[in-house]
Amino acid sequence: MFVQEEKIFAGKVLRLHICAADGAEWLEEVTEDTSVEKLKERCLKHGAHGSLEDPKSVTHHKLIHAASERVLSDTKTIVEESIQDQDVLLLIKKRVPSPLPKMADVSAEEKKKQEQKAPDKEAILRATASLPACSTDRTAVQTTMRDFQTELRKILVSLIEVAQKLLALNPDAVELFKKANAMLDEDEDERVDETALRQLTEMGFPESRASKALRLNHMSVPQAMEWLIEHAEDPAIDSPLPGQAPAAGAGAAAATSTTPEAAAGTGTGDEEARDELTEIFKKIRRKREFRADARAVISLMEMGFDEKEVIDALRVNNNQQNAACEWLLGDRKPSPEELDQGIDPNSPLFQAILDNPVVQLGLTNPKTLLAFEDMLENPLNSTQWMNDPETGPVMLQISRIFQTLNRT
């Protein structure tokens, strides 16, 4: 009677297809109220995956509903997992978690990492404790290992003096430098792009303002137009750029002062030629004098600095506005006067430069002197002269000699 009551109150019987990982398939009949864990035990009894004598065999397996790819929970019943008659379940062995590393393995791994790690300061001191002490002050090293651009100015100042003396001995020196002086009158940096200027004047801007805007904006028409519109109400818009008017006046004065001497052609020939050559040297230097970046001058003057000290700052710092600002706010070293100091004529560096055959030949070329003068006052033009077929080899030799002696 008890058995009959059990059958009466039992849930609906479902026929489920079980598939094992090794490819075995069979049918299991279970009631709806059977737990997933009980079903898993029956499946393990049927298959060869484990034995109930090993309690871990049940926990190391899982049942998956094939249609929904769900892992069935051991604590739920068949009906709670929404399993239907003829559904397919997969019996899969769970992946065994990787074992935790042993202490010996951990120590070996840490030891390997420590061996590959860069030595710290204490390790370096221990390793070098037996070495003889020497002065390796970082500040002193940085002062000695000065870069080429820093020393180039001193080298150029001294080489210009040597080149002037050598060229003065050339009987054709006056004529050569007259041609060189004429070449400077056609300097591209002083001229305004005529096409760009015409575009701005056709828009209605005055020629003087358009010319100033183009110089301030590196001949860029769109940027020059924006500058003109932005400063249209500026009272100082028509004032000349800093440093331009005096230079032009000085150049004109120099030109008029030398013309009568050149036209005279009488007196002691050697002295007149030497005087004329000296005047041409002065004229060339005036034309090649430092030209401060106008935009940087205006920006720094707007901070409250005087025009002269702004130009000095830009000259010391190669027209770099940020560096010039730091110089103005700092101790102002080096001073503008220090820029005109040449290198020690008895130094090994200067002697090695003068002993170089390429440099010796280049110093007899007037174009080399022009290049030195230009780079002296406008360091940003160094690249132009480095690429020049006449002056490039000379600059290359100077650079190589400097780098060689600087490493020793």
Side-chain angles (χ1 to χ4, degrees), residues 305-354:
F305 297 110
D306 182 72
E307 180 180 344
K308 182 181 180 304
E309 60 184 4
V310 166
I311 294 177
D312 286 343
L314 291 170
R315 181 167 177 250
V316 170
N317 294 278
N318 299 336
N319 259 334
Q320 298 179 9
Q321 181 177 331
N322 292 338
C325 183
E326 293 179 5
W327 184 87
L328 289 166
L329 296 173
D331 57 2
R332 302 194 177 188
K333 296 292 183 179
S335 65
E337 292 74 18
E338 294 176 15
L339 297 180
D340 297 326
Q341 297 177 357
I343 192 172
D344 182 5
N346 298 320
S347 66
L349 173 59
F350 192 62
Q351 291 298 322
I353 291 174
L354 291 182

Side-chain angles (χ1 to χ4, degrees), residues 44-64:
L44 289 173
K45 282 183 181 180
H46 186 278
H49 300 283
S51 171
L52 289 180
E53 295 177 359
D54 181 9
K56 293 183 180 179
S57 62
V58 177
T59 57
H60 287 173
H61 288 77
K62 58 186 176 182
L63 284 172
I64 300 176

